[in-house]
Amino acid sequence: MTTLLWFRSDLRLSDNPALAAALAHGGPIVPLFILDDEDAGRWRAGGASRWWLHHSLRTLAADLAKRGSHLILRRGPAERELDRVAGEVGARKVVWNRRYEPWAVSRDEGLKAALKGRGITARSFNAGLLREPWEVVNGKGEPYRVFTPFWRALRAGLDLPAPSEAPRHIPAPQVWPAGEALGDWGLTPSRPDWAGGLRETWTPGESGGQERLDAFAGRASLAYGEARNLPGREGTSRLSPHLHFGEIGPRQVWRALTAAAFAETGDLTPSGVEVFLSEIAWREFSHHLLFHAPALPEQPLRPEFAAFPWIQDSKGLEAWRRGLTGYPIVDAGMRQLWATGWMHNRVRMIVASFLIKDLLIDWREGQDWFWDTLVDADLANNSASWQWVAGSGADAAPYFRVFNPVTQGQKFDPDGAYVRRWVPELAALPDKLLHAPWTARPLELADAGVRLGVTYPAPIVDHAIARERALAAYALARA
């Protein structure tokens, strides 16, 4: 009896519960990936994510071929394509791993009912989270809105099975159904080809994710607590896109880090590893928030922000997108994003605070830009994080906490390594002036080859004035 294995955001063969279930069922397995932009609607993958998806699917197809199998590609509404492929191969069972975006949750419920009506068994599994969103609730049976008690509850009930290895062989059907060519989907840019920095930075696919995990586990993770806030150092894991596309799973990450830490120190969770695991829990928290508050990407979680007096500032928004705000740490982050499809987490908070509080531009504008440009663009993480900075989300930073981009740069990039890499026109400035070049004397600027307003922009807003304006707007919204 043939089983249809529907790949989605679980593009790996190891620790894949749906694949394990298909193998346990016996009989031929038909792996299938459906590019379903219609059901996703506005939240179809952005440009950087589509580039990653192309290369991840190519890697998955090669991994399947090594095991005697083949990845079938189809495009269109999932229900239609699942029905067609199931009919073509005579599948009586369909298995997949769950997604938690609102559109996917509602669609999957309908899919199970539709398949059952056709006499086809449908089962779904958890491959992307440590625990399901409905499993971690407070004493009243309600979802958590504050991270710390959520983290305690998540950890208290955590019982992780050992991750399974990838199978050596996957049974194939006698005849394969027709599929589309990956190159015909146009997921990678051609003219202009802006993805050069992505190719230089990333290796999409399960093996690339495992290599990055292996490199981070051990001493790098032990130092994470001190190094994670320094964007000029390689102190973070950069696992986020691999986690988003399911090339590795959080159970694998947890096991690898605790095992490596124990081998190194005799302690499963020394401080650096503990801090990193709490970041994995923040990812988990974001997915739980989105599951229980499906309007999170569209509406503020705190109702008083619905009437916030945002400003329409197209010039400011464009300067922010292009990394031309005149604030070096902000511009460095935005240029890193455009070049590599990724941005250091500390800098994400700085650039988000600048857009929301210095420019008073709606957080949804930033969310949408990140959605299109991040290789790790994840609906739950993206929306929860932007609302956290805005002060409108769960366990949010207080709105009156306004990051000063100058002091943030001085504190977290003290030697200027990060700014000098991404804003090279300022590279010759001394450290004391690098994060506030407008404070330099004309001779100091001339010696560094900097001409404010010509080779590098003057600040587009005065931070001190902008901060007072933001606080006044917040007070108005609350009133």
Side-chain angles (χ1 to χ4, degrees):
M1 186 180 296
T2 300
T3 299
L4 198 56
L5 171 62
W6 181 21
F7 281 100
R8 312 197 304 165
S9 55
D10 55 341
L11 305 181
R12 66 182 187 270
L13 301 183
S14 60
D15 194 42
N16 188 318
L19 172 58
L23 290 167
H25 184 252
I29 297 172
V30 176
L32 170 69
F33 182 87
I34 302 170
L35 183 63
D36 186 356
D37 288 338
E38 295 182 41
D39 284 344
R42 180 189 170 195
W43 299 115
R44 65 192 288 269
S49 292
R50 293 171 93 79
W51 174 88
W52 189 289
L53 177 63
H54 173 92
H55 293 283
S56 189
L57 287 174
R58 188 174 66 180
T59 301
L60 177 63
D63 290 343
L64 287 165
K66 293 175 184 176
R67 292 159 174 82
S69 189
H70 180 63
L71 180 62
I72 302 299
L73 301 177
R74 293 289 183 94
R75 177 169 39 178
E79 182 175 354
R80 184 191 73 191
E81 294 306 317
L82 280 173
D83 188 49
R84 286 178 177 177
V85 178
E88 291 167 16
V89 302
R92 306 313 303 164
K93 187 171 186 176
V94 181
V95 293
W96 65 78
N97 293 307
R98 286 187 276 276
R99 296 183 63 164
Y100 302 92
E101 300 93 338
W103 62 268
V105 171
S106 60
R107 183 201 55 193
D108 288 4
E109 291 174 353
L111 271 174
K112 285 186 176 180
L115 290 169
K116 183 179 179 180
R118 300 184 185 98
I120 299 174
T121 301
R123 291 188 63 198
S124 63
F125 303 87
N126 173 19
L129 296 177
L130 297 171
R131 295 182 65 189
E132 297 284 18
W134 50 86
E135 292 177 349
V136 186
V137 292
N138 63 22
K140 297 180 181 179
E142 299 171 343
Y144 287 96
R145 290 294 180 90
V146 178
F147 173 73
T148 300
F150 170 85
W151 176 213
R152 287 197 294 263
L154 172 73
R155 194 160 196 169
L158 202 58
D159 182 19
L160 298 179
S164 60
E165 299 291 330
R168 294 184 177 180
H169 176 74
I170 298 174
Q174 291 185 348
V175 179
W176 287 100
E180 298 184 40
L182 180 60
D184 292 343
W185 283 1
L187 297 176
T188 56
S190 55
R191 296 181 181 177
D193 181 1
W194 51 262
L198 276 65
R199 286 192 296 272
E200 294 173 2
T201 307
W202 302 103
T203 305
E206 182 174 6
S207 59
Q210 190 60 56
E211 288 173 6
R212 197 168 285 274
L213 176 58
D214 291 343
F216 181 69
R219 294 193 177 183
S221 61
L222 294 176
Y224 178 78
E226 295 79 33
R228 66 184 181 125
N229 279 314
L230 304 175
R233 291 177 53 183
E234 293 292 334
T236 61
S237 72
R238 302 200 180 202
L239 289 170
S240 53
H242 299 288
L243 280 164
H244 170 66
F245 285 92
E247 297 165 350
I248 54 172
R251 291 189 293 264
Q252 292 170 297
V253 173
W254 190 290
R255 286 274 187 165
L257 262 65
T258 53
F262 187 78
E264 189 77 21
T265 69
D267 183 355
L268 285 173
T269 55
S271 60
V273 171
E274 180 71 16
V275 172
F276 185 81
L277 294 181
S278 73
E279 294 298 325
I280 294 293
W282 269 105
R283 173 184 180 271
E284 200 92 359
F285 185 47
S286 297
H287 281 80
H288 285 231
L289 287 174
L290 180 63
F291 181 83
H292 293 289
L296 190 68
E298 310 282 353
Q299 300 296 329
L301 200 60
R302 298 189 178 194
E304 65 266 30
F305 279 84
F308 194 87
W310 302 111
I311 291 176
Q312 297 294 324
D313 180 3
S314 58
K315 290 184 178 179
L317 178 61
E318 184 63 16
W320 178 83
R321 287 173 174 170
R322 295 177 62 194
L324 295 172
T325 68
Y327 286 92
I329 191 72
V330 174
D331 295 340
M334 298 308 294
R335 295 182 194 187
Q336 181 188 31
L337 172 62
W338 183 253
T340 69
W342 184 85
M343 190 192 302
H344 188 279
N345 186 59
R346 165 58 59 173
V347 186
R348 293 190 197 201
M349 292 189 284
I350 297 170
V351 304
S353 178
F354 186 85
L355 182 75
I356 294 168
K357 297 174 181 178
D358 284 69
L359 300 182
L360 278 191
I361 292 176
D362 194 324
W363 58 269
R364 283 161 285 213
E365 293 281 5
Q367 173 190 248
D368 291 351
W369 184 249
F370 273 27
W371 182 257
D372 196 42
T373 54
L374 281 171
V375 290
D376 62 7
D378 182 281
L379 191 61
N381 292 344
N382 199 32
S383 56
S385 297
W386 275 95
Q387 289 223 43
W388 183 87
V389 175
S392 61
D395 203 2
Y399 194 85
F400 53 80
R401 184 187 181 192
V402 182
F403 282 2
N404 183 320
V406 175
T407 57
Q408 287 284 309
Q410 293 168 341
K411 181 177 181 180
F412 297 112
D413 188 32
D415 61 359
Y418 182 73
V419 164
R420 287 191 172 91
R421 177 178 180 185
W422 296 109
V423 190
E425 59 266 43
L426 300 179
L429 281 173
D431 293 350
K432 66 179 182 177
L433 299 173
L434 185 63
H435 294 287
W438 60 91
T439 64
R441 296 190 302 270
L443 184 59
E444 291 173 314
L445 291 173
D447 287 346
V450 177
R451 297 172 61 196
L452 287 182
V454 180
T455 61
Y456 184 72
I460 62 173
V461 66
D462 183 300
H463 173 71
I465 296 173
R467 181 179 185 278
E468 294 305 316
R469 182 179 66 170
L471 296 178
Y474 178 57
L476 180 64
R478 288 181 60 86

